[in-house]
Amino acid sequence: MLSLRYPAGYPDLSKAMSQDGASQFQEVIRQELELSVKKELEKILTTASSHEFEHTKKDLDGFRKLFHRFLQEKGPSVDWGKIQRPPEDSIQPYEKIKARGLPDNISSVLNKLVVVKLNGGLGTSMGCKGPKSLIGVRNENTFLDLTVQQIEHLNKTYNTDVPLVLMNSFNTDEDTKKILQKYNHCRVKIYTFNQSRYPRINKESLLPVAKDVSYSGENTEAWYPPGHGDIYASFYNSGLLDTFIGEGKEYIFVSNIDNLGATVDLYILNHLMNPPNGKRCEFVMEVTNKTRADVKGGTLTQYEGKLRLVEIAQVPKAHVDEFKSVSKFKIFNTNNLWISLAAVKRLQEQNAIDMEIIVNAKTLDGGLNVIQLETAVGAAIKSFENSLGINVPRSRFLPVKTTSDLLLVMSNLYSLNAGSLTMSEKREFPTVPLVKLGSSFTKVQDYLRRFESIPDMLELDHLTVSGDVTFGKNVSLKGTVIIIANHGDRIDIPPGAVLENKIVSGNLRILDH
């Protein structure tokens, strides 16, 4: 039987009815609900000004389609019994791709590329206001600075014209556009488009929370950007897709702007443009080997004869441990994706891009429980022809989600060259240390205040810091270092200290006299 989510006020009569009767009843309820939502959306649309009307209508139409699918969904979206390991040749090792070398005409290959960065996120989880891409990550450079430097370096080196496209959300668009002026003299053409703005819905009634199109005042929390799976429709609707196809561009390289490892890789691009078997891939997903820290990451599987991305939220509860197993599912999605522009256009016009719905429950500041319906860009892999996974080195996955990640990329573990971070040659083993900074370090401003300078971490394996801890200048950390200041205590690591395989606890204050 269908698992319909009953809104408040509707009795669950289905248990008292025959199977057929229950299905019919549920269908009636579903139709009533869709009608109610349609009326609410029409009311919202009437509040749009003439210059907002067209894009608001597109957004609300997109939401209605997603909501319709949401009501049709039945339980977990994958049948666990059909999930298989992908065939050997469907995930290629990066070494094999790289071994083919590069053609003499690499410039003409590069000129077929557009770089797209997902730039919809705010820096709130790191205690910052505004777009996350504007947080300083290395030598005062922001994520956006590093991205522009990387592409400018490509364009200068190969005398090419690779453009940068930012997919903003209504949360990040205004602040991002203000900052773009500073790149006017860089050798990179920068374009932006906005992902959709969808209404959050009340968890009980399943009706939109918003009463009008504004997103200020009472309406601030009524809207949300519906995940990066929205890129296909928004990119198409913006007109940029057709513009780039008209300019002879053939592929987009899509990645999260906070993944500092997601640089343009010439070997992968060459593999796309000049495939060894003569048959071009429409979609390439970069995957990398799982570690214990990545057990929740989406993995590539074979499902009904096609490559399919399976996320932990889609897995039936009984199989979650199996999904997390590093031995069965050895790789996970880095969200570095290479996608054919012509294929996006074809599938978008056929309404044939199929992505599972992610139901994300939230509680608003006033205590109201809402849900937002989202999709993920990688989930569309099954809709494309001749898709491929490439198992890339871990260095292509360097996301900065927390200040613990920030400490790693600011340290001497990495050197910065033309916007790209590479692991220092002085580091004797290629793995990145495990760093866990406690809640006193969560906000970027608190984190920066607690380090007079970033410690030497070249020989570090594991660092755990908890409580009120500060670091003096030129501290060196080696092996496993654990520093725990209990509640009410404070630990000041003195300037020049060398901590190797040490546990520091209790109270250590260094006072000026």
Side-chain angles (χ1 to χ4, degrees):
M1 195 171 79
L2 292 173
S3 56
L4 182 73
R5 305 153 175 88
Y6 285 90
Y10 286 104
D12 182 359
L13 301 179
S14 57
K15 294 187 180 75
M17 303 167 96
S18 69
Q19 185 94 9
D20 285 351
S23 296
Q24 285 170 1
F25 175 73
Q26 288 183 322
E27 188 54 42
V28 170
I29 297 274
R30 187 185 292 123
Q31 286 171 9
E32 290 277 321
L33 191 52
E34 287 212 50
L35 194 62
S36 300
V37 167
K38 181 173 181 260
K39 284 177 182 170
E40 288 295 314
L41 296 177
E42 283 168 355
K43 275 187 213 165
I44 292 169
L45 189 57
T46 62
T47 69
S49 65
S50 55
H51 77 275
E52 291 174 310
F53 187 87
E54 204 49 49
H55 69 252
T56 303
K57 186 176 186 309
K58 276 182 180 169
D59 285 353
L60 296 182
D61 285 349
F63 173 76
R64 264 186 66 197
K65 283 181 190 167
L66 195 60
F67 185 74
H68 173 78
R69 280 183 50 219
F70 163 68
L71 291 182
Q72 305 288 337
E73 301 272 307
K74 316 173 193 67
S77 54
V78 290
D79 176 346
W80 192 255
K82 292 182 179 178
I83 286 180
Q84 298 171 311
R85 278 193 187 169
E88 285 296 314
D89 61 345
S90 66
I91 299 182
Q92 298 272 347
Y94 176 76
E95 293 69 34
K96 187 177 172 185
I97 306 285
K98 191 174 180 179
R100 295 184 60 211
L102 294 174
D104 295 336
N105 67 335
I106 194 65
S107 296
S108 62
V109 171
L110 259 173
N111 272 328
K112 302 290 186 187
L113 182 69
V114 175
V115 175
V116 180
K117 292 287 180 181
L118 304 172
N119 185 45
L122 293 167
T124 40
S125 64
M126 293 169 77
C128 295
K129 287 183 176 173
K132 186 175 181 184
S133 57
L134 306 185
I135 295 174
V137 284
R138 181 83 187 213
N139 307 351
E140 305 295 312
N141 288 301
T142 65
F143 291 103
L144 186 53
D145 290 337
L146 296 177
T147 301
V148 172
Q149 287 168 27
Q150 288 165 22
I151 300 174
E152 181 176 50
H153 178 68
L154 267 183
N155 285 337
K156 285 180 171 174
T157 305
Y158 296 101
N159 193 25
T160 50
D161 180 23
V162 177
L164 169 64
V165 180
L166 301 173
M167 180 168 90
N168 299 338
S169 67
F170 65 91
N171 289 320
T172 62
D173 189 51
E174 200 176 319
D175 289 336
T176 301
K177 280 180 173 165
K178 280 180 195 164
I179 218 85
L180 289 182
Q181 295 166 17
K182 78 173 189 179
Y183 307 117
N184 284 345
H185 302 295
C186 295
R187 191 171 160 179
V188 184
K189 284 184 193 155
I190 304 177
Y191 302 83
T192 65
F193 70 98
N194 266 12
Q195 64 186 114
S196 305
R197 182 165 69 102
Y198 283 1
R200 286 180 167 140
I201 51 181
N202 184 310
K203 193 176 179 182
E204 297 302 315
S205 69
L206 297 185
L207 294 177
V209 176
K211 298 299 171 212
D212 58 54
V213 294
S214 69
Y215 45 98
S216 55
E218 285 182 6
N219 249 357
T220 308
E221 293 188 298
W223 301 90
Y224 71 99
H228 41 55
D230 186 55
I231 186 172
Y232 303 105
S234 293
F235 192 40
Y236 180 88
N237 289 337
S238 72
L240 283 172
L241 177 66
D242 281 335
T243 298
F244 290 130
I245 289 174
E247 290 175 2
K249 306 291 186 189
E250 295 186 26
Y251 281 94
I252 46 173
F253 171 48
V254 181
S255 62
N256 298 356
I257 200 157
D258 64 6
N259 178 7
L260 295 176
T263 56
V264 172
D265 186 281
L266 299 177
Y267 298 101
I268 294 176
L269 180 61
N270 180 48
H271 186 82
L272 286 167
M273 296 296 298
N274 302 302
N277 63 358
K279 191 179 177 190
R280 282 199 180 181
C281 297
E282 290 188 347
F283 195 112
V284 163
M285 175 179 287
E286 293 185 36
V287 296
T288 195
N289 292 342
K290 265 189 193 179
T291 66
R292 299 272 170 217
D294 312 305
V295 291
K296 291 183 178 177
T299 193
L300 267 187
T301 63
Q302 173 91 345
Y303 193 88
E304 296 180 338
K306 291 204 119 177
L307 274 185
R308 176 156 173 168
L309 179 68
V310 175
E311 302 279 0
I312 194 163
Q314 297 166 246
V315 176
K317 281 196 174 67
H319 297 284
V320 165
D321 287 342
E322 194 182 340
F323 174 83
K324 288 181 176 179
S325 143
V326 178
S327 54
K328 179 163 184 178
F329 298 108
K330 295 182 166 64
I331 46 121
F332 72 97
N333 169 28
T334 63
N335 221 36
N336 300 348
L337 310 168
W338 304 74
I339 310 170
S340 156
L341 285 168
V344 173
K345 182 176 169 69
R346 181 190 78 238
L347 292 169
Q348 192 59 35
E349 289 177 350
Q350 293 170 351
N351 199 22
I353 295 181
D354 179 20
M355 293 171 283
E356 290 75 32
I357 296 174
I358 300 158
V359 180
N360 195 346
K362 299 260 181 190
T363 303
L364 303 186
D365 286 347
L368 181 68
N369 290 326
V370 297
I371 54 177
Q372 52 191 51
L373 307 178
E374 302 176 6
T375 55
V377 57
I381 188 169
K382 64 179 181 292
S383 301
F384 289 81
E385 294 301 319
N386 203 28
S387 298
L388 179 70
I390 297 180
N391 191 340
V392 297
R394 182 76 184 201
S395 57
R396 290 191 57 73
F397 185 67
L398 188 57
V400 180
K401 303 288 183 193
T402 63
T403 49
S404 301
D405 300 328
L406 196 55
L407 180 63
L408 290 168
V409 300
M410 288 178 109
S411 76
N412 60 345
L413 285 165
Y414 292 95
S415 54
L416 178 65
N417 181 26
S420 298
L421 290 180
T422 46
M423 179 76 76
S424 169
E425 290 176 1
K426 294 176 184 170
R427 172 99 173 152
E428 288 188 8
F429 24 89
T431 55
V432 178
L434 190 62
V435 172
K436 293 179 182 172
L437 299 179
S439 56
S440 303
F441 292 79
T442 301
K443 294 182 176 178
V444 172
Q445 65 200 58
D446 294 339
Y447 152 89
L448 291 172
R449 190 170 45 78
R450 291 178 177 278
F451 288 99
E452 274 196 63
S453 70
I454 303 297
D456 167 8
M457 292 164 49
L458 280 174
E459 295 177 46
L460 180 68
D461 294 324
H462 179 139
L463 172 67
T464 295
V465 183
S466 177
D468 187 359
V469 179
T470 64
F471 291 78
K473 281 190 173 174
N474 303 321
V475 171
S476 186
L477 305 171
K478 302 180 180 189
T480 296
V481 178
I482 299 170
I483 306 168
I484 297 173
N486 296 322
H487 185 69
D489 290 343
R490 177 169 147 186
I491 296 177
D492 295 331
I493 304 297
V498 177
L499 299 179
E500 183 167 5
N501 296 324
K502 290 280 186 289
I503 296 175
V504 183
S505 63
N507 200 356
L508 176 63
R509 301 278 315 254
I510 295 174
L511 303 172
D512 292 332
H513 64 89

